[in-house]
Amino acid sequence: MIKRILAGVAAVGALGGLGFLYYAWYPSIAPVPRPAASSFSAAQIERGRIVAAEGYCAECHTRTDMGGGPELAGDYKMDTPFGAIYSSNITPDEKTGIGNWSEAAFHRAMHLGVSREGEHLIPAFPFDHFTKMTDQDISDLYAYIMTRPAVSMAQRPNELPFPLSLRILQAGWKLLYFWPGVYKPDPRHDALWNRGAYLAEGNAHCGACHTPRDFMGAEKRSSDYEGAVVDNWIAPPLNEHNPTPTTWTEDELFQYLRFGVAPLHGPAGGPMSPVPHRFLSTVPEEDVHAIAHYFADLDHASERQGHDKAALALAMEQSKAGLIGPNTDPDAKLYQGACAACHYNAAPTPVLGRPDLALNNALWLDEPTNLYQVILHGLTAEEGQSGIAMPSFYNALSDQDMARIAAYLRRTRTTLPPWTDLEKKAAAVRKTVQHVPVNSSH
Ligand code: HEC
Ligand code: HEC
Ligand code: HEC
């Protein structure tokens, strides 16, 4: 009896294995000569430029370490919990890029995460979002990519340990976590909402940073936009759990995504900074409105914004109270010396370019990570609001100083419980700073 069960299990196992191989196997698609630029219309190339901007292709496909590299030529190093991965050269170079990929091969890569040669691509390439793109968008994107300058540049080999280095295993990941398919409009919502959802869920892959991942590196579907750690920053929740005291309304979202600064919330720093500055400021304004419209619905802005007036008044009160009257609190003095000159606000609203810390996510998240990142790095003139900068305090403040400022701001500007282990966390964030910023004050 037991033998028959075992034989049965083995047979099912073998069938499963065969089924898996059938599922996992893709043919190579024959190379083609690089298509002539004249085979694409100027209008199609321009549409493709917008699609490429909305998917930040250049952000991940351009080397930033080792002195940088040519745009789209790849070799951008991505540190994952499993090991470093290097992006591909996607310029139309025929040897080291994708110059001999047919449109069908390109479409398959975007839609299914499979290379021209038939190998599974690693989901650090966010094909789990790109799969939602329409055939027309992928076709336009192909026209744009194929008409960029061809650059000969080979990427460094990935540093994934065995057996993760086996690409066939990626098929197992896909079986568990990947649902290919173009975005389906939701008939309960209007065209603007659906355009926003199409972009956010698909090409613009906001969830790739703002949704937490499980131990297999997949976005947790039950926790969409609950906030996540990315590149040693916290990408805050974008749903109704966003902790900032004033609501992310459609207009705040639009200003932030289009210009890199929201009047009430402050600037887009760290990994968020290129999203507005390098990309969403270069696409049709209507698309940015659509994304803002979508997230304002997702965070239930219309139901929550009733509290904004009171929250704003309280923040202005706290900002002012920190500066007037005799102050014996040594932490307050430290803050006044280092920060208050540039962050002081008074009613009725903060001055643009002088973010009010009582309203900024840096004080309201569960961890002081973003606050420490900003203190250590400062913000360059390219980040946040264009042309306005904050110096780095990397050299000027010790971990203990940073901990005192963090504790002080948390207790005087928020209604939340104090952060713990502040000095240890300051040292941990300091360790992640790779280059001491050149604008660091002494
Ligand atoms: C978040 C980072 C990221 C973004 C954004 C991104 N890619 Fe990639 N892409 C990668 C990585 C990493 C790889 C290599 C994956 C691997 O080795 O399996 C890759 C691989 C590819 C490949 C396969 C190339 C080959 O030779 O096999 C194509 C095609 C591609 N990307 C196109 C694009 C396009 C077009 C965009 C913009 C719409 C884009 N990527 C945006 C990270 C990214
Ligand atoms: C590469 C990762 C990344 C991507 C992609 C990304 N974000 Fe962010 N986002 C972040 C980080 C990190 C922050 C925190 C920045 C800061 O505090 O200055 C942030 C901040 C924000 C904030 C401010 C939240 C707050 O409470 O202060 C909003 C709104 C936002 N992102 C929306 C979006 C939208 C919409 C998209 C897609 C169009 C998107 N993000 C794509 C990483 C990302
Ligand atoms: C010389 C003026 C100046 C000083 C001093 C200064 N800041 Fe700033 N800070 C700014 C400006 C300007 C911005 C907005 C930059 C932008 O929009 O690009 C900013 C932004 C911020 C932000 C928002 C970052 C984000 O991504 O949302 C935080 C948090 C912050 N500062 C904290 C501090 C703290 C804490 C100190 C003291 C240790 C300090 N700042 C000292 C000028 C300053």
Side-chain angles (χ1 to χ4, degrees), residues 183-202 290-291 293-294:
Y183 175 77
K184 286 195 196 64
D186 183 338
R188 292 167 306 174
H189 293 282
D190 62 10
L192 188 66
W193 188 98
N194 273 296
R195 177 71 183 157
Y198 169 72
L199 290 169
E201 305 297 321
I291 299 173
H293 183 71
Y294 174 65

Side-chain angles (χ1 to χ4, degrees), residues 324-350:
I324 48 177
N327 216 326
T328 49
D329 178 347
D331 296 348
K333 283 195 180 138
L334 182 60
Y335 169 77
Q336 283 175 7
C339 323
C342 300
H343 286 289
Y344 163 78
N345 278 292
T349 51

Side-chain angles (χ1 to χ4, degrees), residues 2-263:
I2 189 106
K3 255 192 196 156
R4 273 193 36 211
I5 291 174
L6 278 180
V9 170
V12 170
L15 273 179
L18 280 179
F20 179 73
L21 281 183
Y22 175 76
Y23 169 85
W25 186 81
Y26 283 90
S28 167
I29 295 179
V32 296
R34 178 182 168 185
S38 57
S39 59
F40 306 105
S41 73
Q44 186 176 25
I45 295 169
E46 169 58 14
R47 286 200 307 270
R49 180 194 67 77
I50 293 165
V51 179
E54 288 171 346
Y56 332 126
C57 314
E59 188 68 16
C60 284
H61 282 280
T62 307
R63 181 155 80 195
T64 52
D65 65 341
M66 297 169 44
E71 185 146 303
L72 298 178
D75 204 45
Y76 172 70
K77 182 179 185 189
M78 291 177 83
D79 287 310
T80 77
F82 310 107
I85 293 173
Y86 299 89
S87 68
S88 325
N89 180 342
I90 57 167
T91 72
D93 182 56
E94 289 181 75
K95 283 225 170 64
T96 60
I98 61 169
N100 60 12
W101 286 36
S102 61
E103 187 176 326
F106 183 73
H107 185 280
R108 187 175 71 174
M110 300 302 290
H111 200 65
L112 295 177
V114 174
S115 75
R116 185 190 67 72
E117 295 82 359
E119 289 202 290
H120 289 282
L121 295 164
I122 301 164
F125 166 46
F127 60 81
D128 50 336
H129 291 274
F130 294 155
T131 187
K132 298 203 161 68
M133 290 164 75
T134 61
D135 292 351
Q136 182 67 56
D137 273 358
I138 295 181
S139 185
D140 294 344
L141 185 56
Y142 181 73
Y144 174 75
I145 298 277
M146 285 299 162
T147 51
R148 295 310 90 204
V151 177
S152 171
M153 193 170 104
Q155 79 207 68
R156 285 164 280 180
N158 289 341
E159 289 159 22
L160 294 182
F162 183 85
L164 287 180
S165 52
L166 295 176
R167 286 189 176 268
I168 186 88
L169 285 187
Q170 297 300 329
W173 189 93
K174 285 179 177 171
L175 193 60
L176 293 172
Y177 297 113
F178 178 51
W179 291 272
V182 173
Y183 175 77
K184 286 195 196 64
D186 183 338
R188 292 167 306 174
H189 293 282
D190 62 10
L192 188 66
W193 188 98
N194 273 296
R195 177 71 183 157
Y198 169 72
L199 290 169
E201 305 297 321
N203 198 10
H205 58 274
C206 313
C209 292
H210 286 274
T211 297
R213 293 174 187 269
D214 66 14
F215 72 103
M216 290 282 281
E219 289 170 35
K220 290 192 204 157
R221 277 288 71 95
S222 54
S223 310
D224 275 349
Y225 302 115
E226 285 287 353
V229 173
V230 50
D231 288 346
N232 305 307
W233 280 71
I234 297 171
L238 296 182
N239 54 20
E240 72 277 16
H241 297 142
N242 181 281
T244 58
T246 59
T247 318
W248 280 99
T249 59
E250 186 166 334
D251 189 54
E252 283 282 297
L253 284 159
F254 174 76
Q255 303 289 333
Y256 189 84
L257 295 171
R258 182 70 172 181
F259 306 112
V261 60

Side-chain angles (χ1 to χ4, degrees), residues 267 269 338-339 342-343 353 355 357 360 362 374 379 383-385 388-391 393:
C339 323
C342 300
H343 286 289
L357 301 184
N360 190 268
V374 176
L379 285 165
E383 296 173 290
Q385 187 181 349
I388 290 185
M390 165 168 155
F393 289 84

